[in-house]
Amino acid sequence: MSLPLIRKPFLIQGLAFTVAILMMNTTQAATEQEQIQQLRDEVKELRALLEQYVPQSKQKTTLPVSDSAQVLAAQTTTPSSDTNKKSPLSFQIASGADVKLYGFLRGDASYQAKGGDGIFNRINKVDLENNEKNSDRFYSTATVTRLGLDFKAPVQGADVGGKLEVDFRGGTNNDTIRIRHAYLTYNDWLFGQTTSTFLATDLQPEMLDFNSPLGIGTYRTPMVRYSGSLNPVTSYAIALEKGSDDNRAPALSSKIKYDFAEGKGTTSARALLTEVRSRVSYEDKLIEIDKDIFKKERKQITSNESDLGWGIALGAKYKFTDSLQAMLDYSHVKGDSKFLLYTNNAFNVNPTNYDLNLNEFDAVTVGTTYQITPKVRSTLAYGAMFAKDNNAFAQQALLDTAQNKTLQQGWLNVMFSPVTPITFGLEYIYGERKTFNGQKGKDNRVGAMARYNF
């Protein structure tokens, strides 16, 4: 058989095989095109449903329809159900608001060598020398345990939220529920009760004692407040707040705050204007009975006088290293006893003309905190109040041992957090008070604390 006759069948078979392969590839390509087109149609239908049921502003991303590979990738990278789970302490109520529960369980104990009547800070009321009734005492309590709820409501076009926080330091015996914070926020406005705008609790040195340090304030009061920002690092606030019960007008408070770069710290300046009003006051007189024997006689004086009280404050906190930070806060106040802790009465009354004698004082706190290890930190701090002693208030207060010319207090504590939610603390406090007539009293105690945050 000749070579051409042998090759001819092979050529025919090869050509037939090639045509078959091309037909199969063409069929497969057509099938793939149909699948891609079908997938595109399904994506279009899904997008139409999203546009119908979800507002356009809520759609964070859209799936591209020009590349089937990207569509498939998007389908395979959907977050798992575990990622979308909320914290067990976060939940949603019927109105749709998101609510977060927070707080801590805390127990305190204190041994008091000398001091005031109670477990926590009472530097302005510690026993005077030769009249010590509260020495050598042991106290313990769990009433500072705290519960709080943060709210955020889904209101279109507005930022709406709120807070409700309570502890168990209410009532005469400090054993009933007490509201600490209760307010709602609407964009830049706040309505309700919270810490006064005149205060800066973020600048105070850490203190284990629940009643807080001398020289600062924690006063929480009903208010209306507006807050805003001048730039990314400077903010401000202005508020009308409830002052003393006898006042007819609210107190006006304001604050401007500046944050240092790289989270190094913060500083703020504050101002306060408040009415000072007297409705009923008392005059104490010493009546001589016999030589060196006197009797105190109290006479009620009724008046309806008013004056203007004011205050200014400036403070800062700065982190020098990752382990060391310091804080300082100074206030000068005249005619108020509400906003700062452990101060004298806002005024007393002149028994002759019933004029108001306004108390005037300076208050200061300074301290430093050192992070010894990632789990251990320590704070050393000092607080003081110095009342003006050459004015009419001081002269009238000579017979009132509840009013103080000076208050001073120092403390040293160590905080240990073996794991994130648990903190143990130990603290030593020493302080002194001096009345306008020269009598002195001392505060000398050790406190311990265990706290579980949630």
Side-chain angles (χ1 to χ4, degrees):
M1 184 180 291
S2 66
L3 184 61
L5 293 176
I6 297 173
R7 289 180 174 176
K8 185 175 181 179
F10 282 101
L11 289 173
I12 296 173
Q13 293 176 4
L15 181 62
F17 182 76
T18 302
V19 171
I21 294 297
L22 290 175
M23 291 180 63
M24 291 175 62
N25 288 339
T26 302
T27 304
Q28 182 177 357
T31 303
E32 288 183 355
Q33 290 297 326
E34 291 177 358
Q35 291 177 347
I36 291 173
Q37 185 59 43
Q38 182 179 0
L39 189 56
R40 288 176 177 175
D41 294 339
E42 291 176 355
V43 171
K44 287 181 180 180
E45 293 178 3
L46 178 60
R47 173 185 265 179
L49 289 174
L50 287 173
E51 290 177 350
Q52 180 179 356
Y53 293 104
V54 182
Q56 191 68 24
S57 61
K58 298 292 186 179
Q59 297 178 27
K60 301 297 182 182
T61 59
T62 57
L63 295 176
V65 296
S66 60
D67 193 334
S68 59
Q70 292 184 21
V71 174
L72 295 174
Q75 292 176 346
T76 58
T77 56
T78 303
S80 66
S81 58
D82 292 338
T83 305
N84 291 326
K85 284 184 178 179
K86 290 186 176 182
S87 164
L89 299 182
S90 299
F91 54 93
Q92 194 173 75
I93 58 178
S95 64
D98 292 322
V99 183
K100 180 181 179 181
L101 173 67
Y102 68 92
F104 54 72
L105 304 174
R106 173 170 160 166
D108 289 85
S110 174
Y111 169 73
Q112 182 173 278
K114 294 182 179 181
D117 184 14
I119 180 174
F120 297 124
N121 204 354
R122 286 173 173 79
I123 181 62
N124 61 323
K125 296 181 179 180
V126 298
D127 296 337
L128 296 172
E129 294 176 345
N130 303 321
N131 190 29
E132 295 176 351
K133 302 176 182 178
N134 299 293
S135 59
D136 194 23
R137 289 193 174 190
F138 175 80
Y139 299 94
S140 63
T141 185
T143 57
V144 301
T145 294
R146 185 179 303 174
L147 295 173
L149 296 171
D150 281 331
F151 300 85
K152 190 167 184 61
V155 178
Q156 187 172 3
D159 185 8
V160 179
K163 178 185 286 289
L164 175 62
E165 182 180 289
V166 300
D167 63 13
F168 301 88
R169 297 290 292 172
T172 304
N173 298 319
N174 290 326
D175 58 0
T176 59
I177 289 180
R178 174 185 65 166
I179 295 177
R180 292 171 53 84
H181 302 274
Y183 62 80
L184 65 88
T185 58
Y186 180 80
N187 291 334
D188 296 327
W189 290 91
L190 181 146
F191 307 88
Q193 175 176 303
T194 191
T195 305
S196 170
T197 309
F198 181 62
L199 306 177
T201 55
D202 57 327
L203 303 181
Q204 71 182 57
E206 185 175 26
M207 192 180 202
L208 182 151
D209 190 295
F210 182 75
N211 275 3
S212 298
L214 168 65
I216 63 98
T218 59
Y219 184 51
R220 295 174 294 274
T221 180
M223 69 175 69
V224 177
R225 180 166 72 198
Y226 179 83
S227 304
S229 298
L230 300 177
N231 54 55
V233 296
T234 307
S235 60
Y236 67 90
I238 185 168
L240 294 176
E241 307 182 8
K242 181 182 182 300
S244 299
D245 292 337
D246 290 334
N247 292 359
R248 293 164 294 188
L252 174 64
S253 62
S254 61
K255 176 190 295 187
I256 185 165
K257 182 178 179 181
Y258 174 80
D259 295 324
F260 296 113
E262 300 177 354
K264 289 291 187 179
T266 183
T267 182
S268 67
R270 294 98 65 194
L272 172 71
L273 288 176
T274 183
E275 181 187 22
V276 185
R277 185 173 179 231
S278 169
R279 299 184 66 182
V280 177
S281 62
Y282 296 91
E283 174 192 6
D284 288 335
K285 288 185 176 180
L286 292 180
I287 308 299
E288 185 173 356
I289 304 299
D290 200 352
K291 185 178 180 179
D292 298 330
I293 300 177
F294 296 86
K295 180 180 73 172
K296 181 185 287 188
E297 181 180 275
R298 170 162 285 193
K299 176 183 177 182
Q300 180 173 317
I301 301 173
T302 303
S303 65
N304 192 22
E305 300 294 326
S306 64
D307 207 333
L308 180 66
W310 56 273
I312 56 173
L314 179 66
K317 177 172 65 176
Y318 192 79
K319 183 181 291 186
F320 295 97
T321 68
D322 291 339
S323 300
L324 179 65
Q325 66 175 342
M327 54 288 297
L328 170 68
D329 196 51
Y330 165 78
S331 304
H332 182 87
V333 178
K334 182 175 182 179
D336 182 75
S337 59
K338 282 284 187 180
F339 291 89
L340 291 184
L341 292 168
Y342 314 119
T343 61
N344 297 321
N345 293 341
F347 63 90
N348 53 34
V349 179
N350 187 313
T352 303
N353 56 18
Y354 300 157
D355 284 346
L356 302 185
N357 303 319
L358 302 187
N359 176 40
E360 189 170 0
F361 64 92
D362 297 291
V364 63
T365 57
V366 59
T368 180
T369 296
Y370 184 71
Q371 192 76 38
I372 302 171
T373 72
K375 296 182 179 182
V376 181
R377 65 185 182 275
S378 179
T379 297
L380 175 64
Y382 168 81
M385 186 282 296
F386 304 101
K388 192 173 182 179
D389 62 351
N390 59 352
N391 57 7
F393 178 90
Q395 295 300 316
Q396 191 73 17
L398 286 172
L399 302 178
D400 188 354
T401 56
Q403 311 304 310
N404 298 291
K405 178 182 176 181
T406 61
L407 297 172
Q408 299 184 76
Q409 188 176 66
W411 63 97
L412 173 65
N413 61 47
V414 177
M415 302 291 185
F416 171 53
S417 298
V419 292
T420 300
I422 296 177
T423 302
F424 300 101
L426 186 66
E427 182 172 76
Y428 173 69
I429 300 174
Y430 180 83
E432 294 182 350
R433 79 171 174 118
K434 183 179 180 181
T435 66
F436 284 99
N437 62 7
Q439 297 186 65
K440 295 181 179 180
K442 294 182 179 181
D443 185 24
N444 188 4
R445 54 202 167 88
V446 177
M449 176 270 293
R451 184 181 67 214
Y452 175 80
N453 294 328
F454 57 86

